[in-house]
Amino acid sequence: MIQLNDIQKKYEMGDQILTVLDNIHLEIANHEFVAIMGPSGSGKSTLMNILGCLDQPSYGTYRLEGMDIFKQTQTSLAAIRNQHIGFVFQQFQLLPKLTAEMNVELPLIYAGVKKQERKERAQEALRKVGLGERMKHFPNQLSGGQKQRVAIARAIINDPSLILADEPTGALDTSSGEQVMALFEALHREGATIVVVTHEAEVADYARRVVTLRDGEIMNDGGRETCPSSTV
Amino acid sequence: MSFIDSLKMALRSLWSHKMRSILTMLGIIIGVGAVITVVAIGRGGEAMLTSQFAGGGNDTFEVYYNPSDEEWMSGEDPYSKTQYTEEDILAIESIPAVDQVIAYAQNSTEVGYREEEAMAQVVALNEGYYELHELEVTSGRLLDDRDSDMGRRIAAVNEGFVEEFFEDVQNPIGEIVDIENTSFQIVGVFTRENQSIFDLEMDEILIPQTVWPMLYGTDDMDMLNVQATSADDIQEAGDETTQLLNEGHSLAGEYEVLNMEEIQEGISQVTNITTMIIGSVAGIALIVGGIGVMNIMLVSVTERTKEIGLRKSLGATRGNIVSQFLIESMTLTTIGGLIGIGLGAGLANTVALIAGWPLLISLPVILLGIGFSMVIGIIFGLLPANKAAKLDPVEAMRYE
Ligand SMILES: Nc1ncnc2c1ncn2[C@@H]1O[C@H](COP(=O)(O)OP(=O)(O)OP(=O)(O)O)[C@@H](O)[C@H]1O
Ligand SMILES: [Mg+2]
């Protein structure tokens, strides 16, 4: 499903060139649950943004479900993000003026789904993450764990094939973090492909495979026994 | 993403900053309101002035005497020898371009009732007078040509006259008043319609034209109005009438007519210039308002950088973001425009009521106002919307 080939990402800061990612080869098959670990500043978020079609590398190719991502127009990238990818962020990124239900509806608005269907599907997704009772709550009326579950409902509303979570438990206490990870596990069992960035070993334990970054390069790619197609 | 969804989104966002939205609209409200008011007042005023000069637009013009400088200096009344004689009237009536001549005599004089005496305007008229002046009978009747033919000593008075003379009388009809030692019986009471702010409210008493010589010993008329056979003939009828009078009287001054076309043009010009001046002030207000909208939209884009990044990560295209902000600024200015139209119409209506001219707010002006505020929203929304659409989603979401 995902093929990253020789990805390099550089930032030019004045006359200094900062190489954030280098020589990244990574294949992730359908239905994998991958954790990306590494010290702060090692390039995990940068890699996630590239996987999520939000950022372009300086060099390399990226194939997602057969599509050559770096050859797509802005508009089709937007459509790919909308249809194929679900994001979960560390800081939830919910819109404060919208209820939980309306936050979850957002991707469907850009997918051109009609109001009635949007509402039904948003409610269904919220029930799925255990927030059937909190549909009309605004983000500031929800706990951190509940906010992150709203964000997960929003990520899965369009049935994406790939779910990307950048430190989804980073702002949560242990027990809400566990609830969130349990949700990811359930989604994985249903067939979703999940990539989670984390610092925490407990979180990485949920994954079948752990990729470790250091200074922008893949240090270690373990737990490959569940991933026969990998060629790295 | 449908327009309705975008509109709802825009309204929600504007509603969440009510105070700011209203203050931002203010420039547009004032601009559009001023345009609507000024245009309506200009047109109303023009309509009123025109109808006042044009005598109701029945192809009639008034002839008047314009004394020479020497006559003004002589110390005598320059109008004392300028009355229109019977021959004048007959001659003018025979001009082909003239349909009819409406002449009447008037004089401000003492009128007596029982022991009282007071000044009133006496007008000696025949039926043609009613074509120039719209009178409404409030009781009794007006004078007609038969009264004139038979030389009846009867009179019709206006409400002001009734108040002045018949305060203690239940019904003025049938009462007798004296003018120049001649008795007249009141047969009717009237009011003037379309009384304008330029008309002095005088106590008036109308008497049959043929009775006039008995009072003043002359059948010369003071006022002369000529009705042309058609609007196109007004110019010709006017020229021939004045030529005839000037030759017949050979006075130092000249008889003249008001040239309706020139007056019409003059009025239009004055109102157009005023409308243009105030209109351009209003236009500047609109532009300043538009810049205010742009400013607030730019602030809004900066404030919502994170939101924009998030929306993009959820699948919003550049077009979606552009239309979100354009619709927002357009909604802002259109609501402002609608409020401005409402206020402007209210103001114009009040002015029209007070000044007594017609309220002339036409649909095109309203549509123009709405269209203009929309266009302002689009023009001044483009820059902020474009700025928002170009944001890099990764940078935007990292924005603090
Ligand atoms: N826009 C940018 N301009 C310059 N340098 C950048 C930019 N974005 C990221 N970097 C640099 O790239 C490196 C990797 O950043 P990234 O956010 O991917 O790290 P990370 O592994 O996610 O770290 P953390 O665990 O702290 O989130 C950092 O050294 C950062 O300073
Ligand atoms: Mg990071």
Side-chain angles (χ1 to χ4, degrees):
Chain A
M1 129 166 267
I2 289 175
Q3 283 179 301
L4 285 179
N5 196 24
D6 199 13
I7 296 289
Q8 189 185 50
K9 176 77 180 176
K10 288 189 281 195
Y11 285 109
E12 280 179 47
M13 316 274 286
D15 44 30
Q16 213 183 354
I17 294 181
L18 190 69
T19 306
V20 176
L21 288 177
D22 201 12
N23 193 29
I24 301 285
H25 293 268
L26 184 64
E27 283 204 20
I28 296 173
N30 266 327
H31 316 309
E32 271 198 88
F33 191 155
V34 180
I36 296 179
M37 296 192 74
S40 185
S42 57
K44 306 182 295 293
S45 296
T46 311
L47 180 59
M48 285 297 260
N49 290 334
I50 290 174
L51 286 175
C53 308
L54 288 170
D55 205 356
Q56 307 261 344
S58 319
Y59 185 81
T61 56
Y62 173 22
R63 297 186 80 78
L64 173 66
E65 297 193 282
M67 295 174 287
D68 191 340
I69 293 304
F70 305 140
K71 293 216 171 94
Q72 306 292 320
T73 61
Q74 288 286 335
T75 314
S76 51
L77 283 178
I80 290 168
R81 290 196 288 264
N82 187 250
Q83 304 292 326
H84 297 274
I85 298 168
F87 285 100
V88 178
F89 305 96
Q90 181 174 0
Q91 294 301 331
F92 324 128
Q93 304 276 14
L94 300 178
L95 296 186
K97 297 275 164 58
L98 302 186
T99 61
E101 185 186 294
M102 289 194 280
N103 265 291
V104 175
E105 271 183 44
L106 276 177
L108 295 181
I109 290 184
Y110 294 116
V113 176
K114 292 254 160 47
K115 176 75 195 166
Q116 192 52 39
E117 190 190 335
R118 286 206 308 255
K119 219 174 144 86
E120 283 161 14
R121 281 169 65 180
Q123 292 178 350
E124 189 193 316
L126 279 167
R127 275 194 289 272
K128 197 166 172 182
V129 299
L131 290 176
E133 309 294 301
R134 298 281 188 281
M135 314 240 193
K136 302 293 176 199
H137 283 55
F138 288 92
N140 63 6
Q141 299 166 327
L142 296 170
S143 74
Q146 288 169 335
K147 281 189 228 184
Q148 197 59 301
R149 283 189 278 154
V150 172
I152 293 172
R154 182 180 64 192
I156 60 174
I157 185 94
N158 239 344
D159 290 323
S161 39
L162 177 61
I163 295 172
L164 300 174
D166 192 347
E167 305 200 36
T169 59
L172 303 179
D173 61 52
T174 321
S175 81
S176 10
E178 276 168 7
Q179 281 182 23
V180 162
M181 289 317 294
L183 265 175
F184 280 119
E185 194 162 48
L187 290 169
H188 177 238
R189 271 200 304 275
E190 285 173 25
T193 312
I194 299 176
V195 181
V196 179
V197 165
T198 185
H199 277 117
E200 301 160 57
E202 299 80 28
V203 171
D205 282 347
Y206 284 86
R208 306 292 182 278
R209 176 179 168 195
V210 177
V211 176
T212 311
L213 287 185
R214 172 154 298 163
D215 295 332
E217 293 192 63
I218 293 178
M219 266 266 299
N220 190 14
D221 191 348
R224 246 173 276 182
E225 61 273 17
T226 55
C227 182
S229 68
S230 175
T231 55
V232 181
Chain B
M1 182 178 193
S2 75
F3 178 78
I4 298 291
D5 289 328
S6 308
L7 193 64
K8 276 190 193 157
M9 210 187 271
L11 286 173
R12 192 176 294 125
S13 148
L14 295 177
W15 187 249
S16 67
H17 297 283
K18 284 179 266 312
M19 196 61 180
R20 185 206 273 188
S21 302
I22 289 170
L23 287 177
T24 311
M25 280 178 203
L26 215 53
I28 306 292
I29 294 176
I30 292 171
V32 171
V35 170
I36 297 285
T37 314
V38 166
V39 170
I41 289 177
R43 283 157 145 241
E46 185 177 344
M48 189 196 68
L49 285 176
T50 308
S51 75
Q52 224 130 74
F53 280 104
N58 50 6
D59 309 334
T60 309
F61 56 87
E62 185 174 330
V63 183
Y64 62 94
Y65 182 71
N66 188 8
S68 70
D69 291 346
E70 294 81 55
E71 279 176 303
W72 281 119
M73 312 286 220
S74 69
E76 285 172 47
D77 176 9
Y79 294 104
S80 59
K81 298 189 188 65
T82 64
Q83 278 81 357
Y84 308 99
T85 63
E86 185 140 21
E87 295 85 74
D88 288 336
I89 294 168
L90 287 173
I92 295 168
E93 264 174 350
S94 66
I95 297 172
V98 171
D99 188 38
Q100 69 164 330
V101 175
I102 302 156
Y104 56 96
Q106 61 184 25
N107 195 10
S108 195
T109 190
E110 296 266 339
V111 176
Y113 174 63
R114 294 186 185 160
E115 275 79 54
E116 273 176 70
E117 280 212 326
M119 294 296 286
Q121 177 86 346
V122 182
V123 181
L125 50 79
N126 51 28
E127 272 177 28
Y129 184 84
Y130 305 130
E131 293 191 26
L132 302 175
H133 305 267
E134 274 185 70
L135 306 185
E136 190 193 350
V137 182
T138 53
S139 71
R141 67 178 182 89
L142 289 176
L143 313 178
D144 55 30
D145 279 350
R146 280 197 52 208
D147 299 325
S148 210
D149 292 345
M150 299 175 69
R152 286 190 178 130
R153 292 185 209 167
I154 56 175
V157 297
N158 70 349
E159 297 280 4
F161 190 100
V162 173
E163 275 166 39
E164 173 73 34
F165 289 88
F166 304 125
E167 222 179 353
D168 312 321
V169 183
Q170 281 250 316
N171 181 9
I173 309 281
E175 294 298 320
I176 308 288
V177 295
D178 292 324
I179 306 168
E180 304 284 343
N181 303 321
T182 310
S183 298
F184 289 84
Q185 186 175 35
I186 309 292
V187 296
V189 180
F190 66 91
T191 57
R192 281 184 187 273
E193 286 189 0
N194 302 329
Q195 191 88 354
S196 79
I197 45 173
F198 295 134
D199 291 329
L200 293 170
E201 187 79 54
M202 288 186 298
D203 300 341
E204 288 180 287
I205 177 161
L206 313 182
I207 60 172
Q209 197 160 68
T210 47
V211 185
W212 186 260
M214 290 200 308
L215 304 184
Y216 297 104
T218 169
D219 58 3
D220 292 352
M221 296 286 119
D222 303 294
M223 309 296 286
L224 187 72
N225 291 272
V226 178
Q227 188 170 27
T229 45
S230 72
D232 297 334
D233 291 327
I234 294 180
Q235 192 72 42
E236 190 188 332
D239 288 346
E240 291 193 31
T241 302
T242 50
Q243 193 188 352
L244 210 142
L245 287 171
N246 285 326
E247 281 170 8
H249 289 251
S250 53
L251 294 165
E254 275 191 46
Y255 287 93
E256 288 173 3
V257 294
L258 284 177
N259 185 324
M260 275 324 301
E261 255 167 75
E262 271 174 28
I263 287 173
Q264 181 81 56
E265 266 169 36
I267 293 171
S268 291
Q269 225 167 11
V270 170
T271 50
N272 279 350
I273 290 170
T274 342
T275 306
M276 259 162 56
I277 291 171
I278 307 182
S280 49
V281 171
I284 291 169
L286 274 178
I287 290 175
V288 172
I291 293 171
V293 170
M294 178 158 77
N295 193 20
I296 286 300
M297 292 306 296
L298 283 171
V299 169
S300 170
V301 168
T302 308
E303 277 179 353
R304 283 147 75 185
T305 301
K306 258 183 140 85
E307 172 188 333
I308 295 160
L310 171 76
R311 285 178 184 275
K312 284 192 148 186
S313 78
L314 297 180
T317 61
R318 285 186 179 198
N320 289 144
I321 302 290
V322 166
S323 61
Q324 177 185 345
F325 281 90
L326 269 193
I327 288 174
E328 196 169 315
S329 70
M330 226 171 77
T331 310
L332 197 66
T333 56
T334 308
I335 293 174
L338 288 173
I339 297 174
I341 288 169
L343 288 180
L347 199 61
N349 193 17
T350 315
V351 172
L353 271 180
I354 293 170
W357 65 54
L359 180 62
L360 289 179
I361 298 181
S362 54
L363 193 62
V365 172
I366 288 177
L367 292 181
L368 202 76
I370 296 173
F372 210 70
S373 21
M374 279 183 165
V375 169
I376 292 234
I378 293 177
I379 291 176
F380 290 97
L382 264 177
L383 186 79
N386 214 27
K387 189 183 163 197
K390 282 203 305 216
L391 284 176
D392 175 64
V394 176
E395 302 276 326
M397 271 195 292
R398 198 179 287 163
Y399 182 85
E400 295 303 331

